[in-house]
Amino acid sequence: MSSSFLSGKVFLLVTGASQGIGRQIAQSFAPLLGDDSSVLLIARNAGGLQETVNKLPRGLSVHTASIDLSTATAHKLKDVINKVLGAAGAMQFEKAVVVHNAASIGDLTKSTVAMTDFKIWQEYYDLNVFAPAVLNGVFMEIFNDYTKVVRLVINISSFNAIQPYEFMGYYCSGKAAREMFFKVFAIENPNVNVLNYSPGPVDTDMLHAVHTYTSEVKHEETKKFMKNRHVLTTEQTVTRLLEVLKLQKYKSGSHVDYYNN
């Protein structure tokens, strides 16, 4: 399958690329990239990043950065990207794609009335909301209108960005805030293609954590959701993501779920 947004000389950045959906995005997107494209994979787990690199086509220019996005500064992120770009800079590329995938589930033991620790809130939002917002700003500063580079921003969202579930206050609120940020970004930047993609229930460590915990406690609505949804493989959901990008039926900034027609 081809996608016009991945053809040609592309700079591709994927966060959370050491496992799960992030790894699959790197695997599925990489073979579609044109000659002389560059890939930058970011995650905390250096070993996991190398495993992802080993699954990508040989001959492709792939770079990794083992970074904790929750503590990274804009200056650090800019340096990491510019190091990959080298002296030729952003203008050497026809297209620039950033996939904001890195995320965490949060504490599933806390009801909303028990979520009273400012430090825990700060740490959760640092990774799940503030980091993608700052990284996106840095990316746009580098690949700005002046560069004439076609830009695509993909935020890996969730059904939980629009549907609340008990004991998932951190995750639901974080996903909602993150998605709204990218909706505002899309309005402000009409020359950038923005997609909030909800991948569905995918067979990842995060889903296993939710399933394990909710099976032990009385989270009836969450259990019902888990029971009624067919669990997808990472390959299935990323294949659907590529279809969405190819068809281009969405308005920039829209929330598109795996199950949307």
Side-chain angles (χ1 to χ4, degrees), residues 126-145:
D126 278 346
L127 173 63
N128 294 280
V129 181
F130 305 148
V134 171
L135 174 59
N136 199 69
V138 168
F139 195 83
M140 291 301 137
E141 180 183 348
I142 293 171
F143 294 97
N144 52 48
D145 289 332

Side-chain angles (χ1 to χ4, degrees), residues 89-203:
M91 296 181 72
Q92 67 184 291
F93 294 96
E94 299 171 49
K95 295 162 188 173
V97 180
V98 57
V99 184
H100 299 285
N101 168 69
S104 63
I105 191 67
D107 189 345
L108 297 173
T109 70
K110 295 286 194 299
S111 68
T112 52
V113 296
M115 295 161 61
T116 57
D117 190 322
F118 275 108
K119 183 178 180 181
I120 293 175
W121 272 112
Q122 181 73 45
E123 290 174 349
Y124 188 79
Y125 269 62
D126 278 346
L127 173 63
N128 294 280
V129 181
F130 305 148
V134 171
L135 174 59
N136 199 69
V138 168
F139 195 83
M140 291 301 137
E141 180 183 348
I142 293 171
F143 294 97
N144 52 48
D145 289 332
Y146 176 72
T147 64
K148 306 297 184 183
V149 177
V150 176
R151 293 159 292 175
L152 170 63
V153 173
I154 303 171
N155 171 44
I156 301 302
S157 187
S158 170
F159 183 62
N160 296 116
I162 58 177
Q163 176 64 46
Y165 280 98
E166 56 198 340
F167 289 83
M168 295 183 72
Y170 290 115
Y171 187 70
C172 290
S173 67
K175 283 296 187 182
R178 177 162 156 169
E179 179 163 316
M180 183 53 71
F181 170 83
F182 284 104
K183 286 179 181 290
V184 174
F185 168 77
I187 294 173
E188 293 176 344
N189 297 271
N191 294 328
V192 180
N193 187 311
V194 183
L195 173 63
N196 285 298
Y197 178 66
S198 174
V202 184
D203 185 14

Side-chain angles (χ1 to χ4, degrees), residues 241-257:
L241 170 58
L242 285 169
E243 290 174 352
V244 170
L245 293 173
K246 181 180 180 181
L247 294 172
Q248 284 295 300
K249 291 183 177 180
Y250 62 90
K251 178 181 178 181
S252 183
S254 296
H255 174 105
V256 178
D257 190 273

Side-chain angles (χ1 to χ4, degrees), residues 1-12 25 28-35 37 95 97 99 152 154 242 245:
M1 179 186 297
S2 64
S3 172
S4 61
F5 277 96
L6 297 174
S7 63
K9 188 175 181 179
V10 181
F11 182 90
L12 171 65
I25 288 172
S28 298
F29 281 29
L32 305 178
L33 305 178
D35 294 340
S37 292
K95 295 162 188 173
V97 180
V99 184
L152 170 63
I154 303 171
L242 285 169
L245 293 173

